[in-house]
Amino acid sequence: MDEHYCSTQLIDGDGAFNVAGIENFIKMVKLAECGLSYAVVSIMGPQSSGKSTLLNHLFGTNFREMDAFRGRSQTTKGIWLARCADIEPCTIVMDLEGTDGRERGEDDTTFEKQSALFALAVSDIVLINMWCHDIGREQAANKPLLKTVFQVMMRLFSPRKTTLLFVIRDKTKTPLESLEPILREDIQKIWDNVPKPQVHKETPLSEFFNVQVVALSSYEEKEEQFKEQVASLRQKFYHSIAPGGLAGDRRGVIPASGFSFSAQQIWKVIKENKDLDLPAHKVMVATVRCEEIANEKLAFINADEEWLQLEEAVQHDLVPGFGKKLSAILDKCLSGYDMEVIYFDESVRTSKRQELETKLLQLVNPAYQSMLGHVRAKTLNDFKEALDKAIEREGFAVAVHDCTQSFMLKFDKGCEGAAIEQARWDPSKVREKLRRDIDVYVTSVRAAKLSELTTLYEGQLNRALSEPVEALLDAASDDTWPAIRELLQRETKSAISGFSSALLAFDLDQATVDKMILQLEEYAKSVVESKAKEEAGRVLIHMKDRFSTLFSHDADSMPRVWTGKEDIKAITKTARSASLKLMSVLTVIRLDDKNDKIENALSLSLMDASDSGGSSRSIQILDPLASSSWEEVPQTKTLITPVQCRSLWRQFQSETEYTVTQAISAQEANKRNNSMLPPPWAIVAILILGFNEFMTLLRNPLYLVVIFVIFLVGKALWVQLDISGVFSNGALPGLLSLSTRFLPTVMNILKRLADEGQRPAAPERNRNQELETKSFRNGMRSNSSSDASSNITSSDSGIEYSSLPRQ
């Protein structure tokens, strides 16, 4: 016989439950796969009444049978378990130890009651094996057994409806139709006389039991007839749990996967002599088994290769189809759980399913969050690239709006792809973080673009204002500051117009636009003010340049030749007045179109004071330049303070006096050169008194040659020593200078003559040109002059004024 149908002792004679045995038995017969499609059949009856023999013939089991040749004795100890052969659904049969055995004695009925209660609690069909000749007897063996069955039934709260199949053995000639009413009447009497709880006082027998009766011939005397009747009875066990079947109206069935645990717990409660609450027991079994199955599924997914690969992949990068893959893994796990617990209590399995689902979602949530993080990071990077390209094609605000809307939709689609069917996780927090990141990036790009735009227009203003303002300040006239104001207004207006148009693309609020325009206007003013401060720092240089230009050039801009007819004092006053005008222009910044009295104050204090001489000292107490600030002019608009103006003017005068002195000297020298001839009377006297000498020269031409040579040497010495220039500074200084320079000059002339004598003779024309060139160079060298450098530093305004040599 197949080992799947081999019997296993479930409970031994001492009441010990064989846990390992039943677990192994369930695995062999694959009971856990049956769900609710299984039936449990047990048999009760007196000892040695042929129970095991009946089961072996009826179900094809191999329970141990009594050896008749050894006498009547206890064959089955405890409770044995086996699977019925070739009967569907899967039918498990239990062979119980016989009652009323001499081995346990008359008073030891505890195990009988425990085994009977166990059989009623776990069995769908209970066979009551009894002898035919005991029917109708008051003290027959079936009476104690039935009392035991009914009494223990009362210990079951909400008992399941069990089929009691009475099997009458060794049937006589009395028809079954005559025996069955007597048996049912006896059963009803026993039921009526059994003490019942108050709740079941009026409960009919049919509420607890489905009673059926069948009779079998004697196995020993009519074996063939017995086997035929057993085969007929076997047919009743096919599809026994189907509606209308032998156990079709059973209630409270434990799923097959929980049968082992249920049997253990039922026997434990019975051994502890407690009442057995089947509904509560059913919930308890469902709770334990559902939790075990849930833990198995959780352990399975933790070791699932597909899940581990998915978890590893999502830690590093985006996983296409992440949501579908993970949903399939979870669905596989939950579906497996649902299939295994489908027959357990609905509330319990639902509760445990929710717990399992919660644990599964907790397990996969980090991977989901990683996936969302990758989606957010990729969306942000793609947004940055797209925005940079879109800004080049269209306006900033339009590009930001379009790109933001497009990539937020892209993120939402990415979240949908990462979503798990079993969860209702809200990605709004990640979405908000992405939106904040986008806003931060847009803000930074906007700031950079606005900075570039501002720099661009500031550069335009700087180029448009710097050089023109410098030229206007260098010209320094009454129209300088009006022209600067007009230039500033025109260029600022032009820049603001373009700047405002460019700002429209950024969709800024009006307050921000106004602020930026105001900043651009202030920058334009700062360019002018900076240039004015720069030019004011070089005011002394400009004054000297203007003085030199006007003093050394006439109205036609031709260099002056001091012939002696020029009015140097008037020319000097005009040049100094122009220089003073330049200083008055650079004294303060005049961008507000307000009139001031600075020019009059400077003219009164400097020019008029110079002209009036000592009278100015009498009114020095009223000097407007004896102050560190100008009247009605803010300190921020002041470039040169009154005190600095006075100091600059003094330095200017001292550094230009040499130029004036040079002009006067040149004028006097020109006058002397023009009066080299003696008076007419002296010429007549020379002619009369020098007649003899004149005749001598005519008679001896060699004297003329000597005189001509002496003239040339004298002329050369005159030019080389610059005698007119040396004596222009005074007689004594001239003599001292001449004494130091005379001998080297003579030696230099002799050396040149010697060098010329050693060279080949050259045409007279070339020598004359060379002498003229040397004379011209010597003349130019003697007439060259340079201005001394001068510097002044003012602690009041922090501006340093300097004068450089002018060639």
Side-chain angles (χ1 to χ4, degrees):
M1 184 174 290
D2 195 325
E3 63 177 0
H4 289 180
Y5 308 124
C6 293
S7 59
T8 301
Q9 188 176 36
L10 182 63
I11 300 173
D12 63 16
D14 297 327
F17 195 94
N18 185 7
V19 178
I22 190 174
E23 293 290 347
N24 186 53
F25 172 80
I26 289 175
K27 289 180 181 179
M28 284 196 307
V29 302
K30 299 180 180 179
L31 180 62
E33 301 175 3
C34 297
L36 296 179
S37 183
Y38 77 103
V40 180
V41 180
S42 60
I43 188 168
M44 298 180 188
Q47 181 176 300
S48 304
S49 60
K51 299 188 300 299
S52 299
T53 301
L54 175 61
L55 293 178
N56 289 340
H57 283 82
L58 183 60
F59 299 114
T61 56
N62 62 343
F63 293 119
R64 182 185 173 192
E65 299 179 6
M66 183 188 72
D67 189 353
F69 295 100
R70 292 186 179 182
R72 304 180 69 84
S73 62
Q74 187 181 45
T75 304
T76 303
K77 294 182 179 181
I79 302 176
W80 287 75
L81 194 66
R83 178 179 177 178
C84 301
D86 302 326
I87 292 181
E88 291 297 334
C90 178
T91 302
I92 305 300
V93 63
M94 292 192 303
D95 188 9
L96 275 66
E97 180 181 316
T99 61
D100 197 19
R102 68 180 179 83
E103 285 79 7
R104 290 193 181 272
E106 181 181 355
D107 297 327
D108 189 7
T109 60
T110 302
F111 187 78
E112 293 178 8
K113 292 181 179 180
Q114 289 176 343
S115 59
L117 180 58
F118 180 77
L120 289 172
V122 301
S123 301
D124 302 302
I125 305 170
V126 178
L127 302 179
I128 305 296
N129 196 52
M130 60 185 303
W131 299 110
C132 180
H133 53 73
D134 288 337
I135 297 175
R137 294 181 181 179
E138 186 63 30
Q139 300 298 325
N142 64 324
K143 298 290 181 71
L145 177 60
L146 289 176
K147 287 182 180 180
T148 299
V149 171
F150 293 157
Q151 286 174 356
V152 298
M153 181 61 77
M154 297 298 105
R155 294 178 59 187
L156 298 175
F157 298 124
S158 302
R160 54 189 296 181
K161 191 169 185 178
T162 308
T163 298
L164 292 180
L165 180 59
F166 287 87
V167 181
I168 301 174
R169 304 291 296 277
D170 295 350
K171 184 176 73 69
T172 62
K173 293 181 180 181
T174 305
L176 180 60
E177 290 79 5
S178 300
L179 294 174
E180 184 174 351
I182 299 173
L183 180 59
R184 288 184 179 275
E185 184 179 351
D186 291 342
I187 295 172
Q188 186 64 45
K189 286 181 181 180
I190 296 172
W191 174 258
D192 293 339
N193 293 328
V194 170
K196 305 180 187 68
Q198 186 65 35
V199 68
H200 293 303
K201 281 291 184 182
E202 304 299 330
T203 304
L205 176 64
S206 60
E207 187 68 24
F208 285 86
F209 298 103
N210 176 26
V211 179
Q212 294 192 25
V213 181
V214 66
L216 299 175
S217 299
S218 173
Y219 173 68
E220 294 179 356
E221 298 176 0
K222 301 177 181 180
E223 183 176 355
E224 292 300 326
Q225 189 176 359
F226 172 81
K227 290 182 178 179
E228 291 177 1
Q229 292 171 348
V230 167
S232 178
L233 177 61
R234 179 184 175 88
Q235 297 300 318
K236 292 187 176 183
F237 290 91
Y238 284 98
H239 307 293
S240 59
I241 62 174
L246 199 59
D249 55 351
R250 63 180 182 166
R251 297 192 296 262
V253 184
I254 297 295
S257 62
F259 178 78
S260 173
F261 178 75
S262 175
Q264 295 177 49
Q265 296 301 315
I266 288 175
W267 182 248
K268 180 181 178 182
V269 172
I270 292 173
K271 287 286 290 181
E272 293 173 355
N273 197 26
K274 297 178 180 179
D275 292 337
L276 184 60
D277 188 350
L278 287 182
H281 173 76
K282 180 181 177 183
V283 171
M284 183 269 293
V285 172
T287 301
V288 173
R289 282 297 299 147
C290 289
E291 188 168 345
E292 289 178 351
I293 295 171
N295 291 334
E296 290 174 2
K297 298 304 176 184
L298 191 61
F300 170 78
I301 197 173
N302 274 308
D304 184 67
E305 189 66 25
E306 185 179 1
W307 155 244
L308 294 177
Q309 292 177 356
L310 185 64
E311 184 183 28
E312 177 68 19
V314 81
Q315 298 300 323
H316 302 92
D317 199 359
L318 281 170
V319 178
F322 173 84
K324 291 183 178 179
K325 293 179 181 178
L326 187 54
S327 297
I329 295 173
L330 296 179
D331 185 64
K332 178 181 176 182
C333 181
L334 293 173
S335 298
Y337 169 85
D338 292 336
M339 290 179 62
E340 293 190 32
V341 303
I342 188 172
Y343 300 113
F344 287 103
D345 183 79
E346 183 179 1
S347 61
V348 174
R349 71 172 185 257
T350 302
S351 174
K352 294 301 177 182
R353 190 186 194 280
Q354 292 174 351
E355 292 179 7
L356 174 61
E357 190 172 348
T358 300
K359 291 179 181 178
L360 289 175
L361 294 180
Q362 288 176 350
L363 175 66
V364 303
N365 183 261
Y368 172 77
Q369 295 298 333
S370 297
M371 182 64 182
L372 287 187
H374 292 314
V375 173
R376 181 188 63 81
K378 188 176 187 308
T379 304
L380 181 60
N381 291 334
D382 293 345
F383 171 83
K384 291 179 179 179
E385 295 179 3
L387 181 62
D388 292 342
K389 295 178 180 178
I391 291 175
E392 297 176 359
R393 299 190 306 267
E394 51 195 68
F396 182 86
V398 176
V400 168
H401 177 269
D402 293 344
C403 289
T404 301
Q405 189 174 17
S406 173
F407 282 91
M408 290 307 294
L409 290 175
K410 181 179 179 182
F411 174 78
D412 292 338
K413 290 182 180 179
C415 290
E416 291 176 3
I420 302 172
E421 295 177 3
Q422 293 79 5
R424 294 295 181 268
W425 288 327
D426 184 9
S428 59
K429 290 185 178 180
V430 182
R431 193 179 194 277
E432 291 174 2
K433 188 177 188 309
L434 173 62
R435 188 58 187 261
R436 290 196 299 270
D437 292 341
I438 288 177
D439 291 342
V440 169
Y441 181 73
V442 168
T443 301
S444 65
V445 173
R446 179 188 291 112
K449 294 297 181 182
L450 289 177
S451 177
E452 292 178 4
L453 187 64
T454 302
T455 303
L456 174 64
Y457 279 91
E458 286 179 351
Q460 291 181 3
L461 280 174
N462 191 52
R463 290 189 297 272
L465 293 175
S466 293
E467 293 184 1
V469 168
E470 181 178 355
L472 289 172
L473 291 176
D474 188 55
S477 64
D478 293 333
D479 297 330
T480 295
W481 282 108
I484 290 176
R485 287 195 294 269
E486 182 181 354
L487 173 67
L488 174 63
Q489 184 178 4
R490 183 178 66 254
E491 296 297 336
T492 302
K493 184 178 180 180
S494 175
I496 288 177
S497 176
F499 188 61
S500 300
S501 300
L503 289 180
L504 293 176
F506 291 87
D507 194 22
L508 301 173
D509 58 276
Q510 190 59 41
T512 303
V513 172
D514 294 342
K515 181 179 179 181
M516 296 185 69
I517 291 175
L518 181 61
Q519 290 175 348
L520 188 63
E521 292 176 348
E522 294 298 326
Y523 176 80
K525 292 181 180 179
S526 69
V527 170
V528 175
E529 293 176 355
S530 176
K531 182 55 66 174
K533 290 178 181 178
E534 181 181 341
E535 296 303 312
R538 298 197 297 264
V539 63
L540 185 59
I541 298 174
H542 292 311
M543 290 171 65
K544 289 164 59 179
D545 288 345
R546 173 165 289 195
F547 177 84
S548 178
T549 299
L550 296 178
F551 185 79
S552 302
H553 296 77
D554 57 19
D556 298 327
S557 298
M558 298 297 293
R560 293 184 188 275
V561 178
W562 304 106
T563 62
K565 299 178 182 179
E566 296 83 7
D567 187 354
I568 294 181
K569 183 176 181 181
I571 295 174
T572 301
K573 184 176 181 180
T574 301
R576 285 181 176 177
S577 297
S579 299
L580 184 66
K581 178 68 176 180
L582 187 147
M583 184 170 66
S584 68
V585 169
L586 293 175
T587 300
V588 295
I589 298 173
R590 298 178 177 87
L591 294 179
D592 50 6
D593 196 17
K594 291 183 178 179
N595 295 324
D596 55 60
K597 301 177 180 179
I598 294 176
E599 185 176 358
N600 293 333
L602 290 175
S603 178
L604 178 63
S605 300
L606 301 178
M607 289 297 296
D608 296 347
S610 299
D611 295 338
S612 58
S615 62
S616 62
R617 289 191 292 270
S618 62
I619 57 172
Q620 192 169 4
I621 191 171
L622 301 176
D623 188 0
L625 300 185
S627 174
S628 60
S629 61
W630 297 104
E631 185 179 355
E632 299 180 355
V633 177
Q635 192 70 28
T636 56
K637 300 297 183 182
T638 300
L639 298 177
I640 306 174
T641 63
V643 174
Q644 291 172 340
C645 287
R646 179 178 293 281
S647 176
L648 284 169
W649 185 255
R650 289 175 179 172
Q651 187 175 356
F652 167 75
Q653 283 185 319
S654 65
E655 293 187 9
T656 56
E657 282 180 358
Y658 179 74
T659 302
V660 176
T661 303
Q662 286 286 84
I664 295 173
S665 299
Q667 197 175 52
E668 292 178 352
N670 199 343
K671 289 180 180 180
R672 289 196 298 272
N673 290 335
N674 292 334
S675 58
M676 290 296 290
L677 295 177
W681 61 268
I683 294 174
V684 173
I686 290 172
L687 291 175
I688 295 174
L689 296 176
F691 180 78
N692 295 331
E693 288 78 5
F694 180 72
M695 293 304 295
T696 301
L697 290 176
L698 291 177
R699 293 188 186 101
N700 193 356
L702 183 60
Y703 288 156
L704 293 174
V705 175
V706 171
I707 293 171
F708 182 71
V709 170
I710 293 172
F711 170 77
L712 290 178
V713 172
K715 183 66 176 178
L717 288 175
W718 182 278
V719 172
Q720 290 291 330
L721 294 176
D722 190 19
I723 294 176
S724 61
V726 170
F727 283 95
S728 64
N729 294 325
L732 183 60
L735 291 174
L736 292 176
S737 176
L738 193 63
S739 64
T740 58
R741 296 169 59 186
F742 179 77
L743 185 59
T745 302
V746 173
M747 296 300 295
N748 188 27
I749 292 173
L750 294 176
K751 182 179 180 181
R752 289 184 180 182
L753 291 175
D755 292 339
E756 289 293 331
Q758 294 177 359
R759 293 181 183 179
E764 185 65 23
R765 183 176 55 86
N766 292 340
R767 285 199 300 270
N768 293 337
Q769 289 181 353
E770 186 175 345
L771 288 175
E772 292 175 0
T773 302
K774 288 181 181 180
S775 300
F776 176 75
R777 289 177 179 174
N778 291 334
M780 289 296 294
R781 186 180 296 112
S782 65
N783 292 330
S784 63
S785 63
S786 62
D787 295 339
S789 63
S790 62
N791 295 282
I792 179 171
T793 303
S794 173
S795 61
D796 293 337
S797 63
I799 302 174
E800 182 176 305
Y801 304 92
S802 61
S803 174
L804 299 177
R806 180 177 177 88
Q807 297 297 328

